[in-house]
Amino acid sequence: MLLVNTIRENFELVLEGLQKRNLANAEATLHEVLELDKKRKETQTERDSLQAESNAISKQIGLLMREGKKEEAEHIKTRTGEIKEQIKVLEESYNTYEADLRQLLYTLPNVPHHSVPKGKSADDNEIVLTHGEIPELPASKKPHWELIKDYDIIDFDLGVKITGAGFPVYKGRGARLQRALINFFLDEALKAGYMEVQPPILVNEDSGYGTGQLPDKEGQMYEATMDKLYLIPTAEVPITNIYRDVILDERAFPIKNVGYTPCFRREAGSWGAHVRGLNRLHQFDKVEIVQIVHPDNSYEALEEMSAYVQSLLQKLELPYRVLRLCGGDMGFTSALTYDMEVFSAAQERWLEVSSVSNFENYQANRLKLRYKGEDKKTQLAHTLNGSALALPRIVASILENNQTEDGIRMPQVLVPYLGFEWI
RNA sequence: AGAGAGGUGUCCGAGUGGUUGAAGGAGCACGCCUGGAAAGCGUGUAUACCCCUAAAGGGUAUCGAGGGUUCGAAUCCCUUCCUCUCUGCCA
């Protein structure tokens, strides 16, 4: 959530930023925010002074009662009646202003970093770099959805039987590959200084609001309606919410957490020609990294996270590219996002396997995640997160890129985790 | 799931309607004391919003959350969440 103060003090910058996201009516909305905030303040000032008067009278009554001057006390009481009426009216309009303001702020996405390119869709994303050789595959090359059948390692039909489409069953070496990747990712993160956490994979409403899945995106999440809980779409939700309503000591920075969780996404209406096999699932595994840092260091942290994710891809010997997302393609809450895409050589497509974002204080504002520095002032922290990594597309590209006439070669770095070199 | 107890500031802990943002203690910070430290003494030690601001200062709200009674609520009533103990069930 954007800060009203930021909007007031940097109106032009905020406006420019929102326009980069192609937000309709940005200027009018920002003016409305300031107007509502002004009314809110005026109402509060009025309400508070009446409340102060009322409190003073009550105090006086207390004193009179103690002195036994009952009649005088009764007399003063009559004055409080009308004050209370007025307070009630003001209170109501204050609440309305505040609710409207909040409602409006929820509709405003984060202001993009100045380096974010303009653009409307994924086509306008900027390719920052491309790394690695695209493998030459035998003429008999197959996409992963055929390979998994040939080698009987991932079974979509079984998943349909048990649950439904998009819930595959991993079997044998397929299951072991999953487990190896999870362990590899977690171990690497530990080496990079992250603390491992195992959060719940069901979250409550407050957590949904904290990281911005709610309101408006409940359609993306599976909901346990009886208990009003949501299955997480990403570990970002529970891990970042660990720090909801927290005031950190500045010395605790940087906070680096890593967690493995399954992720659940309804993906309503997003199925099409390009989502065969492992390209899009309702349930998938992901290792997520989260950092909470001092505002001065968040872009440094973003670069560090980007480099870290790239190091994983390099170790897995996968060709990849890094994109800087344009204003039109960036997530609602992000200020700057790098997407990492691996080349899956049989599909001949780039697949997004990680998205690393700096949210600056946008999430922190909703989360009330603050820190206290040497000057004893409490200020909003900056939050970042990234996938490191999402498994299914990594699996897809490993299978496709490493296929040979004799089987599928596993990346060397995974062999100690797998206990085998070939599928 | 049933019965009971309870949720107060960083922590422990008092407080059953009237200058209570909240006694007392611990911790922490700063200062004094000391050769240095401990002890001791002193001062300070929440958050949000608003007013006024150069600074200082002032106001409102917050004692799990929400609502109610009252001139006035940490204290009374209702709803709800959570924790603990016992019983039941169970990986």
Side-chain angles (χ1 to χ4, degrees), chain A residues 187-204:
Chain A
D187 285 348
E188 289 294 309
L190 294 188
K191 282 187 223 162
Y194 289 87
M195 182 184 79
E196 186 173 348
V197 292
Q198 272 191 36
I201 58 176
L202 280 162
V203 294
N204 59 28

Side-chain angles (χ1 to χ4, degrees), chain A residues 114-395:
Chain A
H114 62 77
S115 69
V116 169
K118 282 183 186 169
K120 294 195 169 163
S121 70
D123 300 333
D124 302 315
N125 293 335
E126 173 192 334
I127 298 170
V128 178
L129 65 87
T130 305
H131 182 278
E133 298 297 316
I134 288 170
E136 289 188 22
L137 298 183
S140 61
K141 68 178 179 187
K142 292 177 174 178
H144 71 267
W145 51 85
E146 288 179 26
L147 294 170
I148 58 172
K149 278 188 183 162
D150 292 353
Y151 293 96
D152 195 25
I153 50 175
I154 301 176
D155 195 324
F156 278 85
D157 296 334
L158 256 188
V160 168
K161 171 179 159 187
I162 300 167
T163 307
F167 292 89
V169 175
Y170 302 84
K171 302 194 293 190
R173 295 198 165 186
R176 288 169 67 185
L177 176 56
Q178 291 278 114
R179 184 154 56 87
L181 282 167
I182 292 164
N183 284 332
F184 169 65
F185 291 149
L186 285 172
D187 285 348
E188 289 294 309
L190 294 188
K191 282 187 223 162
Y194 289 87
M195 182 184 79
E196 186 173 348
V197 292
Q198 272 191 36
I201 58 176
L202 280 162
V203 294
N204 59 28
E205 250 182 321
D206 285 347
S207 296
Y209 277 96
T211 32
Q213 280 69 31
L214 298 175
D216 295 342
K217 287 174 204 147
E218 42 278 87
Q220 311 268 27
M221 293 189 286
Y222 289 96
E223 185 180 0
T225 51
M226 229 178 243
D227 299 290
K228 267 210 162 177
L229 298 173
Y230 298 87
L231 276 164
I232 57 171
T234 159
E236 166 197 348
V237 180
I239 295 179
T240 310
N241 270 284
I242 291 173
Y243 302 95
R244 167 155 50 84
D245 240 321
V246 164
I247 298 176
L248 295 161
D249 187 321
E250 190 178 37
R251 288 171 290 191
F253 288 144
I255 288 176
K256 299 168 78 172
N257 287 173
V258 61
Y260 152 72
T261 67
C263 301
F264 303 87
R265 298 186 182 178
R266 294 189 64 234
E267 303 289 5
S270 68
W271 297 87
H274 287 308
V275 293
R276 290 192 68 174
L278 294 168
N279 291 354
R280 177 152 296 156
L281 300 172
H282 285 306
Q283 177 181 334
F284 63 96
D285 291 301
K286 182 158 64 69
V287 172
E288 183 82 359
I289 49 176
V290 170
Q291 288 207 29
I292 296 161
V293 302
H294 191 284
D296 292 347
N297 306 329
S298 65
Y299 280 94
E300 212 172 292
L302 183 68
E303 295 305 319
E304 179 204 307
M305 288 167 77
S306 162
Y308 169 72
V309 171
Q310 291 180 55
S311 77
L312 295 178
L313 296 172
Q314 286 165 19
K315 285 177 184 170
L316 290 172
E317 303 160 40
L318 293 170
Y320 67 86
R321 63 182 188 182
V322 178
L323 306 178
R324 192 196 311 266
L325 296 195
C326 73
D329 199 32
M330 221 169 38
F332 195 77
T333 53
S334 173
L336 178 56
T337 298
Y338 291 120
D339 269 11
M340 281 66 179
E341 298 184 335
V342 298
F343 193 76
S344 207
Q347 302 181 64
E348 297 183 36
R349 289 183 58 215
W350 293 96
L351 301 176
E352 181 194 332
V353 291
S354 178
S355 194
V356 184
S357 302
N358 184 359
F359 304 100
E360 297 191 359
N361 65 19
Y362 189 93
Q363 274 187 338
N365 188 28
R366 278 201 191 183
L367 289 162
K368 293 200 200 106
L369 164 49
R370 292 157 297 177
Y371 70 93
K372 201 176 273 199
E374 289 229 327
D375 53 5
K376 298 215 169 179
K377 277 189 182 167
T378 32
Q379 284 175 296
L380 292 171
H382 280 194
T383 61
L384 305 95
N385 70 44
S387 353
L389 288 157
L391 293 234
R393 293 172 188 167
I394 291 288
V395 170

